[in-house]
Amino acid sequence: MTRLDSAAEPSETGHLIVEEFGRGWPLPSGDIDSCNTIEWTEQQVTVRTSRQNPTILYYWGEPGGGRFLIGTDLAELAARAIVRTGAEPDRAVRVRSLLESIHKIGGGRTVVFSRSADGGTVEVTETVTRGWKVAPIAGETPVEAGNRQIEALLQEITASGKPQPVTAVVSGGVDSGLVAALAQQAGVLDHLATLGTPWGDEYAAADELGAHLGMTVRHVALSEDDILRALPDMVRMLGRPSRETVAGGVSLVAVYRQGQIPPGTVLTGVGADFINSGLRVEAGAVSDLQRAVADCLADAALAGELSGVAAAAHGYALRHMYWNASVIQAALDTAPEIMRYRDREKGHMRAAAERLLPQNIAWRAKQALHHGSGVDRNLDGAIARRIGMDTVDVERFYELITCELVSQLVDSPHEPVDSDGCLEAAISAYIREYR
């Protein structure tokens, strides 16, 4: 957790880059503009978030007092606030009320914490300082536009290859396929891996990509239990989880916990659909593509699902290669009709990708990681089976996991969280509440 406590007597001035996670690793590609930062002087603390907002920051102010906390870990922030303000007999009620008083900082913001004139309270000012500008380039062909975006992707991948070894997690589709092919071209790729669960896998498609690149693909098989045991880490990373965000990322968190991928850098193709919304397979055509992309960018910058916090906790540097400023801007500079080339989502990228990938991979129907592994369709049922009920309110269950995380951090602030114990305690709490 990144945290500052105004009562802890920090050094007079300081500067912290959040995405370094205290490990001294190279910054995410995209340089300092892709990172969130905290600066402090004797007079004030200033938080600046990038437009991507890769690691969500939260803050809490003591009601009527001069103390405030800033952190990346919502559960620990809540625990520290409880210690300072005193716990009520019903801790679950206290946690819920306290979480409502903790604020999330969005992307492209500057938040300044300063002492009031009377010196007794903290004044907080938040301004929107950076946003995305849409400037479609006129006269481009689809292949030219696709090549421009691929070139931006290559530059980011070239800058991302530390710490080593570097593993690309692939599905066999165009997004992760381009990441792997470009990483190999840049000379930074060491391994390929693909994920599978009892509910589904994309081993065959990933192996096809591996054969094209001349590399063996490691099949990482996750059991139902592996995925369920990763839920506390996933909920802690998200802070305020939803059904969709948990399903979208829990498989990767389970992989970090297992250690089947060598510690180092993990590259993914996650985020390509945010910046190239194109045609939705399930819902038909998007009428206003530029608006759809803007909404996807804003939602992703607030959700926390692209955070590298959980990866860093297990010794990995996570790089979502499409979630970098230059790659996003390249997409924003592409005319909507070009993105729809051949009546396909990301048609311009697919056409340009044919020089790097077999045609059937370049034009393979898109499928998100959690769709191919079946997690999106089966996670609710797996949780219900573990609890012993026919159905389950998963978002309430995730709230109970958060409560257990906070409770552990209140009781044992200097000890690692017992994730398995947290999961079992949340199951027991859910059974008490619903039976």
Side-chain angles (χ1 to χ4, degrees), residues 1 4-5 44 77 167 206 263 372 380 401 411:
M1 173 180 175
L4 290 177
D5 181 348
Q44 66 183 35
L77 203 66
T167 301
D380 292 8
I401 289 178
D411 296 336

Side-chain angles (χ1 to χ4, degrees), residues 74-337:
L74 182 62
E76 186 171 346
L77 203 66
R80 287 167 65 85
I82 285 175
V83 170
R84 277 159 175 70
T85 59
E88 296 176 3
D90 189 334
R91 185 173 288 177
V93 172
R94 175 65 178 133
V95 169
R96 176 176 279 188
S97 65
L98 187 61
L99 289 176
E100 292 175 354
S101 70
I102 295 175
H103 303 273
K104 178 191 287 190
I105 302 176
R109 264 67 171 174
T110 296
V111 183
V112 178
F113 303 81
S114 55
R115 294 290 183 193
S116 62
D118 61 15
T121 59
V122 175
E123 294 181 344
V124 182
T125 59
E126 180 172 338
T127 55
V128 178
T129 51
R130 300 194 67 189
W132 296 104
K133 295 181 179 180
V134 179
I137 298 171
E140 277 189 315
T141 68
V143 171
E144 287 171 342
N147 280 332
R148 178 169 52 79
Q149 186 156 324
I150 289 171
E151 181 58 32
L153 187 62
L154 174 61
Q155 292 177 7
E156 299 294 350
I157 289 170
T158 301
S160 70
K162 291 181 180 179
Q164 293 178 310
V166 176
T167 301
V169 177
V170 299
S171 65
V174 65
D175 300 329
S176 59
L178 272 175
V179 169
L182 292 173
Q184 186 183 61
Q185 179 179 315
V188 300
L189 183 63
D190 298 296
H191 306 289
L192 294 176
T194 189
L195 315 183
T197 74
W199 315 308
D201 63 66
E202 295 171 298
Y203 293 162
D207 286 344
E208 185 180 355
L209 172 66
H212 171 71
L213 298 178
M215 298 180 67
T216 301
V217 181
R218 181 172 305 191
H219 294 182
V220 180
L222 300 171
S223 68
E224 185 172 300
D225 187 58
D226 292 330
I227 293 168
L228 293 176
R229 293 179 66 190
L231 286 174
D233 278 4
M234 186 67 193
V235 168
R236 188 176 183 183
M237 182 187 87
L238 290 171
R240 292 188 171 122
S242 68
R243 178 182 181 275
E244 292 75 18
T245 55
V246 171
V250 70
S251 295
L252 272 178
V253 174
V255 171
Y256 308 144
R257 286 171 51 86
Q258 278 199 336
Q260 290 193 41
I261 293 176
T265 299
V266 176
L267 308 182
T268 85
V270 173
D273 288 334
F274 297 157
I275 66 176
N276 294 305
S277 290
L279 299 179
R280 306 284 187 167
V281 173
E282 323 84 52
V286 174
S287 58
D288 185 345
L289 182 55
Q290 290 182 351
R291 179 67 180 179
V293 171
D295 289 345
C296 282
L297 292 175
D299 290 347
L302 270 175
E305 60 186 307
L306 299 179
S307 172
V309 168
H314 294 280
Y316 299 93
L318 179 64
R319 303 285 186 260
H320 296 304
M321 298 318 309
Y322 292 89
W323 199 239
N324 287 287
S326 63
V327 182
I328 294 171
Q329 192 61 56
L332 294 174
D333 293 343
T334 302
E337 62 271 16

